[in-house]
Amino acid sequence: MKLLISRLISYTSALLVGAALSLAVSTTARADDAGLFLKALQEEAVSQLSNESISSEEREQQFRSLLNENFDISGIAKFVVGKYWRKAEDGPRSEFMTIFEDIMVQRFLPTFSKYASSDFKVTKVVKKKSFYVVYSKIKTEGGEPAQLLWRIQAKETSGFVITDIAAEGISLRSTYKSDYTSALKSLGGDLSALNGKLRKKIKSGDFAPKDNS
């Protein structure tokens, strides 16, 4: 399970950075252009990641911007806490939002440029009742294509927002939900206690990708 999630994160990292650099696409795309939107992210990433003059601080800020602009971070954060979100107070909720973003940055940022120029192809777009499922393939380190499924919703104004990614049948947000709701259950549903534990893990760099992942 952990290996599959690590692969999922690695394969999708390059696409994440492109989102922050393609705002013109994300703000003008029509609802039926979900596949084109996703492809545009990858193309923009390839053209922009060749700039090696960006400092680590600028790169992190850019990455945070792309996450918040193109991924439903707040919605995913609420989803992974599950029923415990409704029981928590505003303070712990707000803190968890910040912590969850820090976790995503620590986990994704170190590897996002690794697959920037990997071959990427959108193969199919399926319209559901309130969202789209975009099927794609990206070449892995071994040369074999990996299939990724993107759950994408149209924004109320214009453009899109990514709400989930899945690889080999494994959903990113569902996996996080399983982990965090299990932890919260053992903590008696105390979101503040979970926040404290996660802060310590972030400080120790526990969410950074491992060399053998």
Side-chain angles (χ1 to χ4, degrees):
M1 178 71 74
K2 290 183 178 179
L3 179 58
L4 292 178
I5 292 301
S6 295
R7 288 174 177 172
L8 165 61
I9 290 172
S10 295
Y11 299 160
T12 59
S13 295
L15 296 173
L16 305 185
V17 70
L21 307 173
S22 59
L23 299 185
V25 174
S26 63
T27 56
T28 60
R30 300 188 308 273
D32 60 350
D33 287 335
L36 295 177
F37 161 75
L38 199 57
K39 179 60 178 174
L41 304 189
Q42 193 268 348
E43 292 176 348
E44 198 68 28
V46 171
S47 67
Q48 294 291 334
L49 285 178
S50 59
N51 182 5
E52 298 180 355
S53 64
I54 300 176
S55 68
S56 58
E57 292 78 11
E58 291 173 324
R59 191 175 295 273
E60 179 175 326
Q61 184 57 50
Q62 186 180 67
F63 194 77
R64 287 182 185 277
S65 296
L66 74 89
L67 285 175
N68 286 290
E69 176 65 29
N70 296 276
F71 282 73
D72 184 16
I73 295 298
S74 62
I76 296 172
K78 294 176 184 178
F79 179 86
V80 301
V81 172
K83 64 181 181 180
Y84 300 105
W85 183 264
R86 297 188 298 272
K87 301 177 181 178
E89 296 182 352
D90 290 343
R93 284 179 176 180
S94 180
E95 184 182 8
F96 180 77
M97 289 286 193
T98 301
I99 290 172
F100 187 70
E101 180 181 319
D102 288 344
I103 290 172
M104 296 293 283
V105 170
Q106 188 174 99
R107 187 62 184 90
F108 280 85
L109 184 57
T111 56
F112 81 92
S113 61
K114 186 175 181 180
Y115 290 88
S117 60
S118 297
D119 291 338
F120 176 79
K121 180 183 295 184
V122 172
T123 58
K124 182 170 62 173
V125 179
V126 177
K127 189 180 186 307
K128 299 294 185 178
K129 186 174 182 180
S130 60
F131 61 93
Y132 298 85
V133 176
V134 179
Y135 292 74
S136 67
K137 288 186 178 180
I138 188 169
K139 186 176 292 186
T140 68
E141 283 185 310
E144 294 297 322
Q147 180 170 270
L148 302 177
L149 275 64
W150 305 74
R151 177 170 171 154
I152 298 177
Q153 288 183 316
K155 294 180 180 179
E156 292 183 2
T157 52
S158 62
F160 301 96
V161 63
I162 298 169
T163 60
D164 195 16
I165 311 168
E168 301 184 53
I170 305 298
S171 160
L172 191 64
R173 68 173 190 168
S174 293
T175 300
Y176 276 123
K177 181 176 182 178
S178 176
D179 291 343
Y180 290 147
T181 55
S182 177
L184 280 165
K185 183 178 181 180
S186 68
L187 294 169
D190 188 345
L191 186 57
S192 292
L194 177 63
N195 287 340
K197 289 181 176 293
L198 293 176
R199 279 292 186 201
K200 290 180 180 179
K201 286 180 174 291
I202 291 171
K203 188 175 182 179
S204 300
D206 290 357
F207 296 104
K210 305 300 185 292
D211 292 337
N212 60 351
S213 59

